[in-house]
């Protein structure tokens, strides 16, 4: 789900009931946590069979407000615990305090939520190596996940390698580059070669690169298409073609200017 037209009740119910999807990624920022509660209930899928990820928005950063925001997200989602809770963004916007100070204070609250079992795992989103290094110095628990933009134009391999070296799961959002990758000649050519859609090529490529890949759609037929990526393999030479498309562009936020 996302905050820009990223929610459709029927699509969520269809994904859960018909496609076997069990991971829902949302955020306070997206404004659809309470809507998801209704869709999950209607789907009939048991809570313990779901993996629910939500995110802490920067207006709630800080020790006490982080804990409060987590409980509020749980309430909106109608759950007693979160499978994964992420700090949404490395920038804090707190007057008189550095981003680093606020991130450390916030992460300490996240550690407490994890230790109490309210969050089964905790992580960050859009964090670069510098942000992760600071957190390592300031805190105790290593983030379990770093969720970052990842698609053929934005393949931050150094960050991927760093996360792997520290046991941080690298999760990639915007695998289709908000549709920009679907019209690229190389992607179209490979789609024809493998008898697949351009979207399936991008998602399969991301998975083969070892990335936990989270595509988004509000259309039932697209969700089904996005799921049909486990019965073929892209040859190594063709993976390299897609790897070579990296040009550093962001279709979402660019965190490189944040200290």
């Amino acid at each position: 789900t996302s905050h820009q037209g990223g929610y459709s009740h029927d699509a969520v119910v269809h994904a859960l009931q018909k496609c076997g999807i069990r991971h829902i990624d949302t955020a306070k920022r997206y404004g659809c946590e309470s809507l998801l509660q209704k869709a999950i209930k209607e789907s009939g899928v048991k809570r313990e069979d779901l993996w629910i990820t939500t995110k802490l928005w920067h207006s709630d950063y800080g020790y006490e407000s982080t804990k409060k925001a987590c409980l509020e997200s749980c309430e909106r989602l109608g759950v007693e615990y979160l499978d994964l809770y992420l700090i949404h963004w490395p920038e804090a916007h707190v007057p008189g305090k550095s981003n680093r100070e606020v991130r450390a204070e916030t992460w300490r609250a996240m550690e407490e939520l994890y230790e109490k079992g309210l969050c089964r795992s905790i992580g960050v989103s859009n964090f670069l190596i510098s942000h992760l290094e600071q957190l390592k110095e300031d805190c105790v628990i290593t983030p379990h996940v770093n969720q970052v933009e990842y698609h053929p134009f934005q393949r931050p391999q150094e960050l991927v390698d760093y996360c792997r070296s520290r046991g941080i799961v690298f999760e990639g959002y915007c695998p289709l580059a908000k549709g920009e990758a679907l019209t690229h000649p190389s992607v179209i050519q490979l789609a024809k070669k493998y008898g697949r859609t351009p979207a399936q090529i991008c998602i399969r490529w991301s998975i083969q690169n070892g990335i936990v890949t989270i595509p988004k759609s509000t259309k039932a037929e697209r969700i089904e298409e996005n799921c049909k990526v486990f019965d073929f393999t892209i040859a190594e030479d063709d993976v390299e073609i897609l790897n070579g498309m990296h040009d550093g562009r962001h279709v979402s936020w660019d965190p490189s200017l944040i200290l």
Side-chain angles (χ1 to χ4, degrees):
T1 61
S2 80
H3 60 282
Q4 292 172 318
Y7 185 78
S8 158
H9 175 84
D10 293 344
V12 174
V13 174
H14 182 85
L16 294 171
Q17 286 184 339
K18 308 288 186 199
C19 303
I21 285 176
R22 293 293 177 264
H23 179 183
I24 297 171
D25 179 275
T26 189
K28 178 182 178 176
R29 167 81 170 98
Y30 305 162
C32 60
E33 289 174 325
S34 49
L35 299 172
L36 279 166
Q37 178 181 169
K38 290 180 193 141
I40 291 165
K41 274 188 186 143
E42 192 177 311
S43 76
V45 176
K46 291 177 187 165
R47 166 66 186 104
E48 58 269 28
D49 293 335
L50 289 171
W51 179 280
I52 297 175
T53 300
T54 193
K55 309 179 194 81
L56 175 77
W57 190 234
H58 63 71
S59 58
D60 294 315
Y61 289 1
Y63 183 72
E64 290 301 338
S65 44
T66 292
K67 291 194 286 184
K68 184 170 176 276
C70 179
L71 289 167
E72 287 169 353
S73 277
C74 285
E75 197 176 323
R76 283 190 292 270
L77 286 158
V79 299
E80 291 179 2
Y81 66 92
L82 301 171
D83 295 282
L84 175 61
Y85 198 35
L86 302 175
I87 294 180
H88 205 144
W89 184 235
E91 193 166 21
H93 304 286
V94 175
K97 282 189 179 180
S98 70
N99 288 328
R100 177 174 183 166
E101 282 175 292
V102 180
R103 284 194 298 263
E105 193 184 309
T106 301
W107 189 252
R108 279 194 287 277
M110 301 280 279
E111 290 176 331
E112 203 173 294
L113 291 165
Y114 171 66
E115 281 157 3
K116 284 182 175 171
L118 201 64
C119 303
R120 299 279 171 94
S121 44
I122 50 175
V124 294
S125 185
N126 303 295
F127 274 44
L128 302 178
I129 293 171
S130 57
H131 306 134
L132 292 165
E133 278 290 299
Q134 287 174 357
L135 215 53
K136 184 179 168 185
E137 288 170 23
D138 300 338
C139 302
V140 180
I141 298 173
T142 301
H144 300 127
V145 172
N146 187 17
Q147 188 186 111
V148 180
E149 184 179 340
Y150 189 95
H151 47 75
F153 307 124
Q154 179 55 233
R155 188 175 67 91
Q157 196 56 41
E158 194 186 349
L159 180 58
V160 172
D161 294 341
Y162 173 87
C163 287
R164 283 188 182 143
S165 74
R166 294 196 53 214
I168 300 168
V169 174
F170 191 99
E171 188 173 41
Y173 69 83
C174 286
L176 315 180
K178 293 193 175 168
E180 286 181 29
L182 305 182
T183 54
H184 191 281
S186 296
V187 175
I188 291 169
Q189 201 176 348
L190 289 172
K192 284 178 185 162
K193 178 178 174 178
Y194 288 92
R196 299 286 169 162
T197 65
Q200 287 169 334
I201 293 295
C202 290
I203 293 166
R204 181 67 205 172
W205 163 81
S206 181
I207 290 167
Q208 280 186 224
N209 277 342
I211 308 302
V212 174
T213 307
I214 47 169
K216 179 208 83 167
S217 181
T218 56
K219 296 181 176 67
E221 63 275 16
R222 291 275 187 236
I223 292 169
E224 286 192 21
E225 177 191 323
N226 292 346
C227 287
K228 291 173 183 168
V229 291
F230 298 104
D231 59 348
F232 78 105
T233 302
I234 301 172
E236 204 49 52
D237 290 359
D238 293 332
V239 169
E240 286 309 317
I241 289 170
L242 293 162
N243 285 351
M245 284 167 54
H246 172 79
D247 59 15
R249 85 177 83 154
H250 285 274
V251 296
S252 187
W253 300 327
D254 180 359
S256 63
L257 305 171
I258 297 164
L259 298 170

